[in-house]
Amino acid sequence: MRLINTSTYALHQSNEQEVFTSPEYAILSHRWTGSEVTFQMLSSADWRAANLHGPAMRKIRDACTKARERKQPLKWLWVDTCCINKLDPEELASSLNSMFEWYYRATVCYAYLSDVEWSPSRRQMSKTLDEAAQKDKDRPNQESVWFERGWTLQELLAPRYMEFYDRNWNFMGTKESLADFLESVTGIAKSYLTGASDFRQASVATRMSWMAGRTTTLAEDIAYGMLGLLNINMTIYYGEGPKAFMRLQKTLMENSTDETIFAWTAPPKGLACFRKHSQTPRWSPQSWGLLAPSPDCFSKYRDLTVLPDLYVPRLSGGYRFMQQGVQFQMPMKSGTELTNFFGLPRKDVTLPLNCWRTADDGKLYNVNIQLSKDGAVYKRIGCDDLVQKKGSKPKTNSVMGVDQVITRPLTIGQPDFVIPLK
């Protein structure tokens, strides 16, 4: 990890023990523009001398000033544009997997909204945003593009203390004081923003829904920007495009038993996360596999939960990813869920998931998905909706007077994205 000296603007390695007398540092969250200072620029003393008071350094210079002017001044600042040598693939990969931790460990995170001019009347601004949010609850119009970027999601959630500033570095408020406003814009519950609840305890579907509609410059960063939120690490490959999101889900399956990852539907507005990329994948919303093609598929499912008291362990190894797709252990009452009276495979079956929703009537509903036989494997059908069944008792079979959950394996095929050739 490299840090900027807030007085000299020189870069230093964090393992230089003689330099770092205190581990405290500030960190910057911002939206990249066309003229950002790179590692190669800032590491050159000649470049710093020639450009210190120029427009390119303004954002870094102002952030350093804020850090120095604190009641307890901070000597160090981290900025993603210039503290990582992006020409070194190994360093870049390590940094992307560490970035969530760096934002969490920072004494303060400065969120710089370069396209906002703050009005002293916060109440008026909140009202305007609330009205915009009512027009489209899944994707409200934002005051700042900062709220639409993929990387700023973890930069909003990871810091323990965060201050917001407008384009002129006027103080707007802290994450805690702006929590109601931030909840209305992002759809993230206030308790997660303030730290009253640990957002990592939210279901996978809930956390995926927070990324819905956000964009990144590179398609792969939709996946890499969620590593810290999902508490996983991945090998970084630039060049695979939207397939990185599929690999993210496979990695998550190896580290989690949260089945809300399979509870998604085709987004009515398409794969918005990839709308700015030339590698927008082709896929079939009518029939697909178990893994979603984009975080947009979770936009309607912020309320999905996993209830430990109702969770039914999947016997014989649970689920796993195979060459043909995902193999699931399906709970059954009898052998006829997968085969008919004559022992032949049923064409259509319903797969219950270990996740639930609470309906408007206050009753609990178990979430299921529809599958259809397709050769040697099943495929998911009806991807435009989830099947909700009242109640939550697992299917059991009485053996010698004792109710036992029985299972049969079934494999759901997982198609690959087809990236159109130009």
Side-chain angles (χ1 to χ4, degrees), residues 213-285:
R214 292 173 178 259
T215 62
T216 53
T217 302
L218 300 175
E220 296 87 347
D221 286 338
I222 289 294
Y224 302 154
M226 296 196 71
L227 294 178
L229 271 67
L230 298 171
N231 197 26
I232 58 175
N233 294 98
M234 278 174 60
T235 305
I236 305 299
Y237 297 122
Y238 280 105
E240 63 180 332
K243 292 182 179 180
F245 182 68
M246 302 296 285
R247 193 161 56 88
L248 173 81
Q249 295 175 87
K250 294 177 185 178
T251 303
L252 188 59
M253 285 175 56
E254 297 170 357
N255 296 273
S256 171
T257 58
D258 186 330
E259 295 181 17
T260 64
I261 189 176
F262 308 120
W264 55 269
T265 54
K269 297 183 180 180
L271 306 184
C273 283
F274 301 124
R275 64 185 180 274
K276 296 184 179 180
H277 301 118
S278 58
Q279 289 185 306
T280 301
R282 292 175 183 162
W283 75 294
S284 171

Side-chain angles (χ1 to χ4, degrees), residues 10 89 108 119 136 145 171 211 270 286 315 345 352:
V108 58
S119 167
D136 185 351
V145 179
F171 178 67
M211 181 63 83
Q286 285 74 41
L315 307 180

Side-chain angles (χ1 to χ4, degrees), residues 3 22-26 72-76 105 107:
L3 294 171
S22 170
E24 294 189 346
Y25 60 92
Q72 295 182 331
L74 293 173
K75 187 178 181 180
W76 308 106
R105 285 169 43 198
T107 302

Side-chain angles (χ1 to χ4, degrees), residues 99-397:
M99 204 170 292
F100 182 90
E101 180 186 359
W102 292 346
Y103 274 90
Y104 174 79
R105 285 169 43 198
T107 302
V108 58
C109 176
Y110 297 130
Y112 176 60
L113 278 54
S114 60
D115 54 351
V116 164
E117 289 188 356
W118 183 249
S119 167
S121 175
R122 196 184 93 194
R123 181 176 301 176
Q124 180 65 38
M125 191 173 190
S126 297
K127 181 180 178 181
T128 302
L129 285 169
D130 288 342
E131 289 173 352
Q134 292 303 315
K135 296 178 182 177
D136 185 351
K137 293 181 180 179
D138 289 335
R139 194 70 204 135
N141 297 318
Q142 321 297 6
E143 280 293 307
S144 174
V145 179
W146 186 89
F147 292 104
E148 299 179 357
R149 304 299 293 168
W151 282 109
T152 56
L153 175 58
Q154 75 168 4
E155 294 167 14
L156 172 64
L157 286 164
R160 291 167 292 176
Y161 178 71
M162 192 171 193
E163 296 177 354
F164 286 81
Y165 293 88
D166 75 354
R167 62 185 303 173
N168 298 312
W169 285 93
N170 295 312
F171 178 67
M172 300 165 67
T174 66
K175 181 163 61 172
E176 186 170 0
S177 69
L178 296 173
D180 289 331
F181 157 74
L182 294 171
E183 181 181 43
S184 72
V185 173
T186 64
I188 302 173
K190 180 179 177 180
S191 61
Y192 294 133
L193 293 168
T194 61
S197 301
D198 183 356
F199 71 85
R200 285 187 174 181
Q201 298 303 312
S203 70
V204 166
T206 298
R207 284 175 280 172
M208 289 284 192
S209 75
W210 298 338
M211 181 63 83
R214 292 173 178 259
T215 62
T216 53
T217 302
L218 300 175
E220 296 87 347
D221 286 338
I222 289 294
Y224 302 154
M226 296 196 71
L227 294 178
L229 271 67
L230 298 171
N231 197 26
I232 58 175
N233 294 98
M234 278 174 60
T235 305
I236 305 299
Y237 297 122
Y238 280 105
E240 63 180 332
K243 292 182 179 180
F245 182 68
M246 302 296 285
R247 193 161 56 88
L248 173 81
Q249 295 175 87
K250 294 177 185 178
T251 303
L252 188 59
M253 285 175 56
E254 297 170 357
N255 296 273
S256 171
T257 58
D258 186 330
E259 295 181 17
T260 64
I261 189 176
F262 308 120
W264 55 269
T265 54
K269 297 183 180 180
L271 306 184
C273 283
F274 301 124
R275 64 185 180 274
K276 296 184 179 180
H277 301 118
S278 58
Q279 289 185 306
T280 301
R282 292 175 183 162
W283 75 294
S284 171
Q286 285 74 41
S287 63
W288 194 245
L290 271 184
L291 303 183
S294 159
D296 302 298
C297 300
F298 297 90
S299 62
K300 298 189 296 182
Y301 301 108
R302 291 180 180 140
D303 58 343
L304 284 182
T305 59
V306 176
L307 302 173
D309 292 341
L310 301 178
Y311 191 90
V312 181
R314 296 197 182 272
L315 307 180
S316 305
Y319 54 79
R320 59 194 177 115
F321 201 87
M322 306 174 64
Q323 187 174 5
Q324 303 96 325
V326 181
Q327 187 182 75
F328 240 96
Q329 296 296 330
M330 178 173 172
M332 298 182 297
K333 224 172 198 179
S334 65
T336 58
E337 269 85 351
L338 295 183
T339 58
N340 61 21
F341 180 78
F342 300 100
L344 299 175
R346 289 186 180 276
K347 180 172 176 59
D348 298 329
V349 299
T350 301
L351 175 64
L353 300 175
N354 270 310
C355 55
W356 294 265
R357 302 184 83 177
T358 301
D360 293 337
D361 59 6
K363 295 180 180 178
L364 202 62
Y365 286 79
N366 178 235
V367 175
N368 297 245
I369 55 177
Q370 295 285 90
L371 305 176
S372 182
K373 190 74 171 173
D374 185 20
V377 299
Y378 286 85
K379 63 181 178 181
R380 184 178 168 191
I381 59 173
C383 296
D384 57 344
D385 199 9
L386 295 174
V387 179
Q388 299 183 157
K389 294 190 175 182
K390 190 181 299 184
S392 56
K393 292 191 72 173
K395 296 180 179 181
T396 60
N397 187 42

Side-chain angles (χ1 to χ4, degrees), residues 1-5 10-25 75-77:
M1 183 186 192
R2 293 186 185 85
L3 294 171
I4 304 169
N5 186 303
L11 284 169
H12 296 278
Q13 286 280 7
S14 61
N15 57 5
E16 297 176 16
Q17 296 299 327
E18 71 279 6
V19 174
F20 292 98
T21 57
S22 170
E24 294 189 346
Y25 60 92
K75 187 178 181 180
W76 308 106
L77 171 73

